[in-house]
Amino acid sequence: MLRKLNTYIIDNKKKVIFFLISMSLSILIASSTARYGILGPAAVIAAAGLGTFLVSLFNNPRLAFWIYFGYCFILGFLVKSFLNIPVGLAMDAILLLTWCSILVNMNKFNWRNLRNEHVWLSVIWFAISFLQILNPSGASLTGWFNELRFTALSWLLIAPLVFLMFNKMADLNRFITFVLFFSCLATLYGMKQLYLGVSSGEQQWLNSGNDVTHILDGKLRVFSMYSDAGQFGASQAIIAVIALTLALGPFSFVKKVIFGLIALFLLYGMAISGTRGALFALASGIAYALFLSKNFKVLIVGIAFAMAGFGVLKYTTIGDEIFQIRRFRSALDPKDASLNVRLDNQKKLAYILKDLPFGAGLGMSGMNGITYNADKPIANIQPDSYWVKVWVMYGIVGVMIWMGFTCYIIGKCSGIVWKLQDPKLRVKAIALTSGTVGCFICSYGNEVMNAMPSSAIMFMSWSFVFIAPWLDNQSKQIKADGNSL
């Protein structure tokens, strides 16, 4: 009888394990209910759910990353909904869990794929950023760490993921679909804020001083699920560039229409954000997409239309009764008060930084500067630009290195795009490269490429373009075998 039981257990191992776990949980819930009431079973169920979640993550690193990527889009919403909980650290924890899962399953990946310029540049930039802890300006260690997370660590941890886990055409398609879906969801939520009002947590966030920049002339600058209106508007413009580029690609008529409608919808999201810098992301992204496509006739026509549009904004008062158009028009006004404040701040920063070739250190500018280094004069001068922020933290030496790295990657992506043979893949690579160009350009006006989800999208986009030649070869092989993508 014992032999039969042993044989049954071996043959039905999964069923037996499931039965034992179920019985254990049932006993634990019953006993905890008797002692702690409703809190007991709730804690047990939560622990069981967390355990199942962790097991799934360690079995499938891909799942861990997609959860992280989705979290990047809703981070701003969570921060405003749970004002006293550091939900931002959970985002980093999920990314670290992704890497723990990769290391547990390390034999499944080809680590030689990491030998490329994108990964190496992210490593070098992290090393430079880490060494800023030695900066003699005396920045707070906490401020340094918080800034390091976004400025360098996220790039270091995200850049290799595509080369290890997402190096197939289906992964590229899934990434684009994911980005378009969440961006449309963000516009929908933005419309909810505009027409139905903000939540109690969001109202509390506005009341804490953010209403100064987000309620102008009695109109709400929509920020949706993101950290602020600047990030929301710029992100929608960047993704609109991607969607519009895809709409002009060699796809079916139905897909062209879908991409076109998504682009228009996201442009509406950009408009209701009242973010002036988004206009430059849109213009530069579209111009670069036309340049990469080598369609110079369309590029010339597009430039003519763009100049006409800018001319209408700058030299006429058409549409002034619409708040969003007034906001965009003010971006072209050299007498705009906000612009002059930025220029004055840059002059003050230049005076302080003239003897600091390596900058004032990480965490010495922007929100971290005000929060952790308020006793330092330079920390209380707003950079109002990610380019300027890098200059403040890393100095003239650091900002030149950062500019060189960014321009090299964009140039490398451009060279890759021009050599691709698969027309559909080429358009996708053009879309992603142009989106990152728009992100880089508009970061002069806002801290876009250093905040979620734009930074994660940018790093992933660069990696996908870097592996495009592999995908191109896969496409050729599939066609040679008589199949199609």
Side-chain angles (χ1 to χ4, degrees):
M1 183 174 178
L2 290 175
R3 185 177 298 172
K4 290 182 179 180
L5 178 62
N6 185 51
T7 302
Y8 177 83
I9 292 174
I10 293 173
D11 293 340
N12 300 273
K13 184 166 58 176
K14 290 185 178 179
K15 293 181 179 178
V16 171
I17 292 174
F18 178 77
F19 173 76
L20 291 175
I21 292 175
S22 300
M23 286 298 297
S24 300
L25 285 175
S26 299
I27 294 170
L28 190 58
I29 289 174
S31 59
S32 62
T33 302
R35 183 166 184 178
Y36 300 107
I38 191 64
L39 293 178
V44 172
I45 293 171
L50 179 61
T52 303
F53 174 71
L54 291 175
V55 170
S56 300
L57 293 193
F58 278 95
N59 282 333
N60 187 358
R62 290 167 170 259
L63 174 63
F65 175 75
W66 289 122
I67 292 173
Y68 164 79
F69 199 40
Y71 196 96
C72 290
F73 281 86
I74 64 172
L75 176 62
F77 171 79
L78 294 175
V79 167
K80 297 176 186 65
S81 299
F82 305 98
L83 295 172
N84 298 319
I85 301 176
V87 294
L89 292 176
M91 179 182 68
D92 296 325
I94 297 172
L95 185 56
L96 290 174
L97 280 174
T98 301
W99 271 100
C100 289
S101 180
I102 289 173
L103 294 176
V104 168
N105 298 278
M106 64 185 305
N107 294 330
K108 297 179 181 179
F109 305 110
N110 185 356
W111 293 87
R112 288 177 296 180
N113 290 345
L114 299 185
R115 298 174 184 173
N116 62 81
E117 298 98 315
H118 187 204
V119 173
W120 279 115
L121 289 179
S122 71
V123 172
I124 295 170
W125 185 247
F126 178 80
I128 292 171
S129 302
F130 187 86
L131 290 175
Q132 278 287 342
I133 195 174
L134 303 176
N135 194 299
S137 296
S140 161
L141 185 62
T142 305
W144 168 85
F145 174 73
N146 280 341
E147 197 65 56
L148 182 74
R149 290 166 51 210
F150 289 95
T151 303
L153 184 60
S154 60
W155 187 11
L156 176 69
L157 296 180
I158 293 173
L161 295 177
V162 169
F163 302 99
L164 290 176
M165 297 192 299
F166 303 109
N167 46 29
K168 293 186 171 52
M169 187 71 76
D171 296 318
L172 172 59
N173 294 336
R174 191 174 294 114
F175 169 73
I176 293 174
T177 302
F178 197 97
V179 169
L180 294 178
F181 170 77
F182 269 92
S183 297
C184 288
L185 188 63
T187 293
L188 279 174
Y189 190 76
M191 293 171 65
K192 176 265 176 188
Q193 288 180 331
L194 183 63
Y195 297 111
L196 300 179
V198 297
S199 68
S200 58
E202 291 164 347
Q203 186 61 56
Q204 189 176 345
W205 178 78
L206 288 170
N207 294 340
S208 65
N210 293 290
D211 56 335
V212 175
T213 55
H214 285 76
I215 299 179
L216 304 177
D217 298 331
K219 302 287 186 180
L220 175 70
R221 287 184 60 206
V222 171
F223 47 88
S224 185
M225 302 184 295
Y226 298 167
S227 59
D228 53 61
Q231 177 63 212
F232 172 56
S235 178
Q236 299 311 87
I238 292 162
I239 309 306
V241 168
I242 294 175
L244 189 59
T245 304
L246 294 173
L248 301 175
F251 303 105
S252 67
F253 176 75
V254 173
K255 287 185 177 179
K256 284 175 177 282
V257 171
I258 292 174
F259 288 137
L261 291 175
I262 289 174
L264 291 174
F265 190 56
L266 298 181
L267 288 175
Y268 176 75
M270 180 196 81
I272 61 177
S273 74
T275 303
R276 297 174 293 186
L279 196 62
F280 298 97
L282 183 66
S284 60
I286 292 175
Y288 206 77
L290 293 172
F291 169 71
L292 288 180
S293 68
K294 297 183 180 180
N295 196 337
F296 297 111
K297 291 182 179 178
V298 176
L299 177 60
I300 293 171
V301 173
I303 291 175
F305 273 103
M307 291 179 65
F310 279 108
V312 169
L313 287 175
K314 185 171 179 59
Y315 298 110
T316 74
T317 57
I318 297 174
D320 248 9
E321 67 279 3
I322 301 174
F323 168 71
Q324 287 78 13
I325 293 179
R326 290 201 307 274
R327 282 286 297 170
F328 288 136
R329 179 165 283 130
S330 65
L332 305 176
D333 182 5
K335 297 180 181 180
D336 180 66
S338 176
L339 174 63
N340 289 317
V341 169
R342 292 176 182 231
L343 296 177
D344 288 341
N345 284 344
Q346 290 175 26
K347 290 178 182 178
K348 295 175 184 176
L349 291 170
Y351 179 78
I352 298 174
L353 291 167
K354 65 180 181 180
D355 297 322
L356 299 173
F358 299 102
L362 264 64
M364 197 68 90
S365 184
M367 183 57 66
N368 285 317
I370 295 173
T371 305
Y372 302 105
N373 296 289
D375 58 321
K376 306 292 193 302
I378 195 170
N380 293 285
I381 303 174
Q382 283 300 313
D384 293 316
S385 162
Y386 187 56
W387 294 17
V388 174
K389 185 176 181 179
V390 172
W391 172 44
V392 172
M393 295 190 300
Y394 295 87
I396 188 63
V397 175
V399 76
M400 293 302 293
I401 293 172
W402 175 75
M403 283 279 187
F405 284 4
T406 304
C407 291
Y408 175 83
I409 292 175
I410 291 173
K412 176 78 173 183
C413 289
S414 303
I416 290 172
V417 164
W418 277 331
K419 294 178 181 178
L420 296 176
Q421 300 298 314
D422 185 323
K424 292 183 179 179
L425 175 61
R426 189 165 180 267
V427 168
K428 293 171 187 175
I430 288 173
L432 295 182
T433 302
S434 302
T436 63
V437 169
C439 184
F440 175 59
I441 295 297
C442 75
S443 291
Y444 174 74
N446 294 287
E447 193 174 340
V448 177
M449 60 186 290
N450 193 43
M452 295 298 175
S454 294
S455 62
I457 294 171
M458 183 174 67
F459 301 145
M460 290 287 287
S461 295
W462 281 342
S463 292
F464 271 117
V465 177
F466 266 68
I467 69 162
W470 309 353
L471 303 181
D472 206 21
N473 290 332
Q474 291 176 15
S475 175
K476 292 177 185 176
Q477 186 60 47
I478 291 173
K479 291 178 180 177
D481 294 339
N483 298 313
S484 60
L485 289 176

